[in-house]
Amino acid sequence: MNTTSPLPVASPPGAAPRGAAPARPRARRREGRGALVAGRVIVLAGAVVMLLPFWFMFVFATHSNSEILSMPPPLWFGSSLGDNLRELLARLPTFWQNLGWSFYVALATTLANLVFCSLAGHAFALLEFAGKERFYAAVMMTMLLPAFLFMVPTALTMSWLGWTNEERALIVPAACSALGIFLMRQYIEAAIPRDLVEAARLDGCSEFAIWWRVVLPLLGPALGTLALITFIGSWNNFISPLVVMRDMDRYTLPLALRSLQGSGQTPWGALCAGAAIAVLPLLVMFALASRRLIDGLTAGAVKH
Amino acid sequence: MHAAAKTPHRRRPLIPARWAPYVFISPFFLLFAAFGLFPLLFSVALAFHQWDPVGGVWSMRWVGLDNFAYAIARDDWLRKAMFNTVWIALVSGLPQHLVALPLAWFLHRAFGRWRNAVVGAYFLPFITSTVAISLVFSSLFSKDFGLVNAAFSTLRQVPVLGWLMPGQAIDWSQPGYTKWMISAVVFWRYVGWNTVLYLSAIQTISPELLEAAEIDGASPRQRFLHIVLPLLRPMVFLAVTLSLIGNLQLFEEPFILTGGTGGIDQAGKTAAMHMYAVAFMDGDFGTASAVAWLLFLLIVGATAINKRLLGARA
Amino acid sequence: MRRRALLPLPLACLAARPALAATGRATLTVAAFPDLDRSARIAIESWAASHPQVDVRLTTRAFDDHHTAMTTAIATGANLPDVMAVDMDYLGKFTQAGGLEDLDAPPYDARAVAPRLARFTLGPATGLGGKLRVLPADIGPGALFYRADLLARAGLVEDDLTRDWASYVAAGVKLKQATGAYLCASAIDLKDILIRAGLADGEGVYFDAAGRPQVTSQRFVQAFTLARAARRAGIDARIAAWSSEWSEGFRRDRVATQMMGSWLAGHLKNWIAPAQSGLWRSAPLPAGVSASWGGSFWAIPVRAERKLLAWDFIRTLCLDRAQQLEAFRRLDAFPALLAAQQDDYVAQPIAYLGGQAARLQWRAASERVPALHVDRYDQVAKAIVEAELDQVLEHDKPIPQALADARAAIERRARRHRAPRAPLLEDRPCTPPPRPRIAAAR
């Protein structure tokens, strides 16, 4: 249990005294403007490289198959977007339903994870109980097995429960992920000051109230991270829907888009158009989560 | 916002303190018991059976340790796959973090308003769909027409950098280059993710601390090495653990980049790909489960080492 | 929510449900992959009209996803369709296990209708116990597609390519010198063709009927030798099929020929090289080899719910002349039904191939293909053989050693191939009690 080298924490103990205004402004060592500009250029160039395949995906969505599968591939938008969208919807009449199901499953899974994982993380990080480390080890073990080994047992379980073709078969098993618990435990151990929790306990708060009023508000960045991982993971998952869903109008989006690929001529333009639409909610999710994650929680600095 | 509420009423807590821990972790364990335990036990049992799933659940046959013996002693493709996996994990994993850390620091201090947009650009690969990736990268890495080789040939003109560039167009499907191609794509995919993690961790370092150091004359590099890095250690541990687990289970990127085959000489076949092939092509779920548990041991070992190196000191 | 218990197989056999519910509509589930799902859709249009009380639900999945999902469904008995598509690549795995219904048994009696189908398809369609487990819908008779204009420029004629393999390689060298174009996309294609040369009915490509690997036989030696000769002569472009470079290679006149199933003509016309209409021709495979690429089949899982309805639907898919011709016209799916192959459509000239009535040639080719035996480990053997061929082509490994290593690897991986095992419940045919036929026989 560490208390000395915290994870993101507002003010590490033993740091420079806060509140003490600098005596007088000393001459700062000015960083060379050149170095700063050069650094920015490199980072921006890197960003362009990162964006490139993503860019191509959007460009391909506006071209026909022949144009896409030619060398060199098209670099700028074409004129086939309408055709591609029409073909996408013709081949996948359930496209919008699939999009909706993906949303529903991802949102439900994310909310469930936020609640359950923070509860479990709280327990592992702040409470003592019999068999704690053994439980934790069992939790971690589930993270380390590849997903496809779960295919057959999942199909069996779902058929026993009668949940085949139901969305809950996707949400419930993923409602409390081991990864989330791992994240939460790490963060809580590092960032929540123990004395705060002790103080609340002494005040007679129930554990649940401590979780709700003390721990959760300070968990901003971790919740943001978990929300992001869970949403993206759920959105892109196709293995579970593959074995659980029977009807195409209940598919989630990745499975539906994949179903365009077969032994015939894959409609790459339509596929990229679908993939481009499928990625937009993830972009929005990132924009929302990044405010918590990156803009940080300086407001969460705990001032005693 | 005040973290602690004012003194709450003294009333009987909803959950007695003794039971609180168990109630808190019960959602996980109920779900685990229902949906995690069974698959876990199933795959443990499977590892000791021979099973071709197309024969139905009842066609399993007990073979004891035969699957493990085969996997360890006689499966040459598994050995190659393990080597590939570790190779790719290192070559793509180390840069992922060695680049993400300074990048996060630089983004934090040098980008101001544009920071979120730039981070977003780096994060995009993480959310790009694999279908698009397979299509785009197969064209980018083409030998004669790909942009990567085109970039190399233009860079060859640049004086100093040009000497490092390969002399001719690279055929990326050749076994010598397959792993580099895969590592590049994995790096591309995950460096933004790590950057976001580190950036979020940097956010919560007290700004006054950094300002004070700056005023005291510390250069950005010194601030980075002596303040930021040590404070980021727990996040580094977390990020590296996640990387380890993800990279040792790598499946999607090598699968789509080699068209599912693992490439010439099995150069691009990872352990997870081999497992999948054994299960669905050889029709041998038993051996696949045995391999999964061997890989599991490897990952446990790696994360234990990681914990030693980077983990929190008690 | 109704709780459904997982029924053990014997109980499932005994409790076979009637094909039509006593009240309300029945549902027929069909599972396929693109583009086969499009021919299924065509069949649904006509079949549903004559079966108004049945609700047909078609589920499409990606090619590999479909077979993975079917494997899982058969393994667990959950989410099984009534009618299941199987591609040639996966056929051995499914037919050699006990998960597919025995179509020889009553009430299907597929043997009675088997003579109406392309003869060679019955080899792969025969599975466990020597019974028909699937019914073929379409086939891909092999043809050599070549650029007549490039050949003419090099002073070559079709016969130079097809006479024998020596002249094939020589023609390739001449073509390269004269036009700079490669004769074939990859030397691996040549291996694929030659290992199918000279096979008789009942033999398998990689395994004989008893399950012994055949990779050290003369066939394979010749195949590897030819592939190596082609590589050394510099006539192959070392491009993987279906990659962007492959399609671009055709467009840019870098690759002059391609040996593949007859359906390649449709791909060339639609998207690979639409601008080259009139420049391509179709020829029989060199040296009189007869081979077939791919092929789609339909099956009924043993634990499906509506087997008789499923069989009725499959009869429409595979035995109905109008359906087969419609799929032929719309999707370029060469029919497995002999009656459909006799239609006038086959004799019509194909504009893209310069007016050649190529379908006649493909039909003739399909008559010569032997009825091969497919093994459940065919894909494993294929991967191993290709890995060894890579060693031969890239690293100059001696051919006898490569083939010996391949044989050893196959025996290792397919090591439980012939292990004796107790007869399983699945091995016993699960015959539903006789039921009246739903539709009149066509």
Side-chain angles (χ1 to χ4, degrees):
Chain A
M1 201 70 79
N2 85 88
T3 48
T4 51
S5 184
L7 198 60
V9 83
S11 55
R18 266 177 290 112
R24 64 177 195 289
R26 276 204 231 145
R28 296 182 190 214
R29 201 162 357 134
R30 302 262 286 157
E31 180 181 19
R33 276 205 72 75
L36 204 60
V37 170
R40 286 203 183 115
V41 167
I42 295 177
V43 169
L44 285 174
V48 170
V49 172
M50 291 286 141
L51 273 177
L52 214 54
F54 196 77
W55 169 255
F56 274 120
M57 184 175 78
F58 279 94
V59 166
F60 285 176
T62 62
H63 284 275
S64 68
N65 252 18
S66 314
E67 290 162 11
I68 293 174
L69 290 171
S70 60
M71 291 291 191
L75 292 173
W76 192 249
F77 296 106
S79 54
S80 305
L81 181 60
D83 292 333
N84 286 337
L85 284 175
R86 258 188 298 270
E87 177 158 19
L88 177 69
L89 293 173
R91 287 211 192 208
L92 263 188
T94 55
F95 182 72
W96 300 113
Q97 281 159 283
N98 300 136
L99 190 65
W101 280 122
S102 274
F103 243 122
Y104 170 61
V105 171
L107 275 175
T109 310
T110 305
L111 286 173
N113 266 284
L114 288 179
V115 170
F116 293 141
C117 289
S118 58
L119 276 175
H122 174 117
F124 281 117
L126 298 176
L127 304 173
E128 293 297 331
F129 52 97
K132 172 161 112 165
E133 292 308 324
R134 244 173 291 142
F135 272 141
Y136 193 63
V139 168
M140 289 302 106
M141 258 184 20
T142 62
M143 262 208 291
L144 303 185
L145 286 178
F148 79 84
L149 272 190
F150 284 65
M151 258 200 271
V152 170
T154 306
L156 274 175
T157 313
M158 293 309 155
S159 90
W160 287 334
L161 289 171
W163 284 1
T164 312
N165 218 31
E166 300 273 324
E167 251 55 32
R168 71 187 88 165
L170 301 177
I171 300 172
V172 175
C176 185
S177 68
L179 179 60
I181 299 182
F182 178 59
L183 259 171
M184 288 291 144
R185 179 181 182 171
Q186 284 291 112
Y187 193 87
I188 294 176
E189 269 176 5
I192 310 289
R194 246 5 92 70
D195 33 2
L196 202 61
V197 178
E198 285 310 316
R201 281 213 193 103
L202 287 176
D203 278 343
C205 266
S206 73
E207 207 58 41
F208 191 78
I210 295 179
W211 171 72
W212 181 253
R213 299 224 189 97
V214 177
V215 174
L216 260 194
L218 291 178
L219 274 186
L223 289 177
T225 312
L226 183 59
L228 202 57
I229 307 184
T230 313
F231 193 87
I232 295 175
S234 172
W235 189 264
N236 285 335
N237 178 27
F238 74 90
I239 293 192
S240 306
L242 180 64
V243 295
V244 160
M245 294 302 166
R246 189 178 50 232
D247 296 329
M248 286 187 78
D249 55 4
R250 293 199 158 243
Y251 277 8
T252 54
L253 206 49
L255 197 58
L257 285 178
R258 285 171 70 95
S259 77
L260 292 173
Q261 291 175 275
S263 59
Q265 172 195 345
T266 306
W268 293 112
L271 198 53
C272 284
I277 298 177
V279 94
L280 291 175
L282 295 180
L283 285 176
V284 169
M285 187 69 199
F286 174 71
L288 289 177
S290 69
R291 237 176 273 149
R292 289 237 117 190
L293 269 183
I294 302 172
D295 292 344
L297 206 60
T298 44
V302 177
K303 312 236 186 311
H304 288 295
Chain B
M1 131 169 64
H2 274 303
K6 15 192 232 289
T7 314
H9 317 297
R10 287 184 185 273
R11 57 161 189 242
R12 234 165 23 103
L14 207 58
I15 307 162
R18 241 180 354 106
W19 293 352
Y22 299 101
V23 173
F24 277 28
I25 64 178
S26 60
F28 176 79
F29 274 101
L30 286 174
L31 291 171
F32 178 64
F35 302 106
L37 195 60
F38 174 57
L40 216 62
L41 295 176
F42 191 81
S43 76
V44 169
L46 253 192
F48 298 99
H49 286 78
Q50 177 214 336
W51 188 44
D52 185 350
V54 203
V57 194
W58 312 110
S59 69
M60 286 197 231
R61 204 165 62 95
W62 175 266
V63 289
L65 288 173
D66 190 39
N67 289 334
F68 290 95
Y70 171 77
I72 297 175
R74 285 151 64 211
D75 192 348
D76 51 338
W77 279 3
L78 176 63
R79 257 172 261 141
K80 220 180 248 184
M82 286 287 200
F83 172 73
N84 291 340
T85 308
V86 173
W87 195 102
I88 294 175
L90 285 173
V91 171
S92 73
L94 283 172
Q96 270 174 42
H97 295 277
L98 293 177
V99 167
L101 275 167
L103 180 62
W105 169 239
F106 190 78
L107 283 171
H108 169 75
R109 71 183 180 85
F111 266 89
R113 258 177 321 142
W114 293 100
R115 184 187 57 202
N116 279 7
V118 177
V119 169
Y122 276 90
F123 192 71
L124 280 180
F126 189 67
I127 59 180
T128 310
S129 90
T130 46
V131 163
I133 290 178
S134 74
L135 190 55
V136 168
F137 273 101
S138 64
S139 99
L140 284 180
F141 277 104
S142 153
K143 175 168 151 241
D144 297 313
F145 308 106
L147 278 184
V148 173
N149 280 344
F152 281 163
S153 67
T154 35
L155 283 178
R156 223 173 288 141
Q157 322 294 341
V158 172
V160 173
L161 213 53
W163 298 332
L164 299 169
M165 293 294 128
Q168 55 186 4
I170 299 179
D171 184 354
W172 293 97
S173 63
Q174 290 302 302
Y177 294 105
T178 311
K179 284 198 272 286
W180 289 105
M181 175 176 69
I182 296 174
S183 304
V185 176
V186 175
F187 170 79
W188 169 83
R189 198 115 202 260
Y190 294 106
V191 71
W193 163 245
N194 289 308
T195 308
V196 166
L197 283 182
Y198 292 141
L199 193 54
S200 80
I202 290 179
Q203 292 314 303
T204 52
I205 296 179
S206 155
E208 291 118 336
L209 179 62
L210 291 168
E211 261 181 46
E214 194 178 353
I215 288 171
D216 278 344
S219 74
R221 198 169 66 92
Q222 286 173 323
R223 275 179 274 151
F224 177 64
L225 287 174
H226 299 295
I227 301 181
V228 176
L229 271 188
L231 287 179
L232 241 44
R233 190 197 180 98
M235 182 51 101
V236 173
F237 168 65
L238 177 68
V240 169
T241 306
L242 293 179
S243 259
L244 265 180
I245 296 177
N247 279 357
L248 288 175
Q249 288 183 332
L250 196 66
F251 178 86
E252 291 248 44
E253 284 81 12
F255 191 83
I256 58 187
L257 286 171
T258 59
T261 60
I264 300 179
D265 262 6
Q266 321 298 317
K269 190 177 261 205
T270 56
M273 273 178 72
H274 181 68
M275 240 191 291
Y276 181 81
V278 167
F280 286 97
M281 193 165 72
D282 297 12
D284 194 353
F285 261 57
T287 309
S289 298
V291 171
W293 284 102
L294 290 174
L295 190 62
F296 169 82
L297 290 175
L298 178 67
I299 299 178
V300 165
T303 43
I305 296 177
N306 182 41
K307 191 155 187 178
R308 269 289 176 88
L309 291 176
L310 292 173
R313 305 243 172 78
Chain C
M1 193 73 209
R2 224 166 23 102
R3 288 187 161 260
R4 269 183 272 145
L6 178 70
L7 296 172
L9 182 59
L11 289 184
C13 280
L14 296 173
R17 308 218 204 117
L20 278 179
T23 59
R25 301 169 65 82
T27 313
L28 186 73
T29 326
V30 181
F33 46 85
D35 273 339
L36 193 59
D37 64 331
R38 291 162 80 188
S39 65
R41 252 184 255 275
I42 299 173
I44 291 173
E45 283 165 17
S46 61
W47 191 82
S50 57
H51 294 78
Q53 73 279 50
V54 181
D55 210 357
V56 185
R57 287 223 207 117
L58 175 63
T59 311
T60 308
R61 294 180 180 90
F63 186 74
D64 292 309
D65 288 350
H66 166 82
H67 292 95
T68 306
M70 290 301 106
T71 306
T72 310
I74 293 184
T76 59
N79 242 353
L80 271 175
D82 298 307
V83 179
M84 181 176 122
V86 186
D87 188 80
M88 178 71 95
D89 284 349
Y90 286 90
L91 197 58
K93 291 189 62 58
F94 284 98
T95 57
Q96 300 294 327
L100 298 180
E101 190 79 336
D102 171 9
L103 299 176
D104 277 344
Y108 313 112
D109 290 321
R111 282 290 165 191
V113 296
R116 297 190 219 167
L117 300 161
R119 202 184 57 88
F120 78 87
T121 59
L122 299 176
T126 308
L128 193 66
K131 314 285 188 178
L132 268 182
R133 299 277 170 179
V134 293
L135 223 53
D138 59 61
I139 58 179
L144 168 67
F145 292 94
Y146 66 92
R147 283 280 299 277
D149 60 321
L150 289 177
L151 250 63
R153 229 191 294 165
L156 296 164
V157 291
E158 181 180 304
D159 187 61
D160 292 325
L161 295 181
T162 60
R163 191 165 56 240
D164 56 44
W165 290 110
S167 68
Y168 180 85
V169 176
V173 173
K174 205 166 159 201
L175 181 73
K176 185 89 194 298
Q177 281 168 354
T179 64
Y182 293 97
L183 187 60
C184 58
S186 172
I188 300 179
D189 295 345
L190 300 178
K191 175 264 301 177
D192 281 329
I193 299 203
L194 245 94
I195 57 179
R196 288 169 169 79
L199 286 171
D201 283 355
E203 289 185 332
V205 178
Y206 297 99
F207 298 90
D208 64 8
R212 286 182 297 257
Q214 297 297 298
V215 293
T216 43
S217 66
Q218 202 47 29
R219 250 188 308 137
F220 278 82
V221 174
Q222 280 169 355
F224 272 46
T225 312
L226 178 69
R228 189 176 60 184
R231 177 60 62 90
R232 283 187 181 160
I235 64 172
D236 82 315
R238 304 170 107 172
I239 299 175
W242 303 106
S243 64
S244 305
E245 277 140 319
W246 182 76
S247 43
E248 194 65 18
F250 294 125
R251 280 183 217 126
R252 294 198 189 202
D253 301 348
R254 288 184 83 214
V255 181
T257 71
Q258 180 67 52
M259 293 184 263
M260 223 176 236
S262 59
W263 33 259
L264 185 64
H267 286 281
L268 284 167
K269 181 175 76 128
N270 288 334
W271 62 276
I272 298 180
Q276 289 172 4
S277 177
L279 301 179
W280 287 85
R281 298 284 181 279
S282 166
L285 292 176
V289 178
S290 297
S292 173
W293 264 258
S296 316
F297 298 80
W298 293 97
I300 307 176
V302 166
R303 293 203 259 174
E305 287 182 358
R306 308 203 182 283
K307 294 197 239 193
L308 290 173
L309 262 186
W311 174 241
D312 201 67
F313 187 65
I314 290 181
R315 286 181 62 107
T316 306
L317 284 167
C318 304
L319 300 173
D320 181 43
R321 188 167 187 269
Q323 156 68 18
Q324 290 263 305
L325 277 174
E326 195 58 27
F328 197 10
R329 265 185 258 268
R330 282 204 233 168
L331 307 167
D332 250 331
F334 203 93
L337 184 67
L338 294 171
Q341 290 178 9
Q342 302 304 321
D343 189 82
D344 289 334
Y345 180 64
V346 171
Q348 284 172 12
I350 302 180
Y352 187 83
L353 297 176
Q356 184 185 5
R359 296 190 189 102
L360 289 170
Q361 180 192 96
W362 301 336
R363 184 178 70 194
S366 77
E367 283 159 12
R368 291 194 314 264
V369 179
L372 298 176
H373 162 77
V374 292
D375 194 280
R376 74 202 292 176
Y377 290 105
D378 271 354
Q379 291 302 309
V380 180
K382 177 170 192 266
I384 292 175
V385 166
E386 277 195 11
E388 288 299 334
L389 183 61
D390 280 336
Q391 296 290 319
V392 170
L393 294 177
E394 308 283 338
H395 303 302
D396 260 336
K397 189 171 179 182
I399 291 180
Q401 192 193 338
L403 290 175
D405 288 347
R407 190 204 170 94
I410 293 175
E411 278 169 346
R412 234 183 4 242
R413 303 204 85 85
R415 67 197 194 281
R416 294 166 178 152
H417 199 180
R418 301 293 171 215
R421 55 183 174 81
L424 301 167
L425 296 166
E426 279 81 357
D427 290 340
R428 289 190 231 121
C430 175
T431 327
R435 300 243 170 229
R437 288 201 175 259
I438 301 300
R442 286 172 219 263

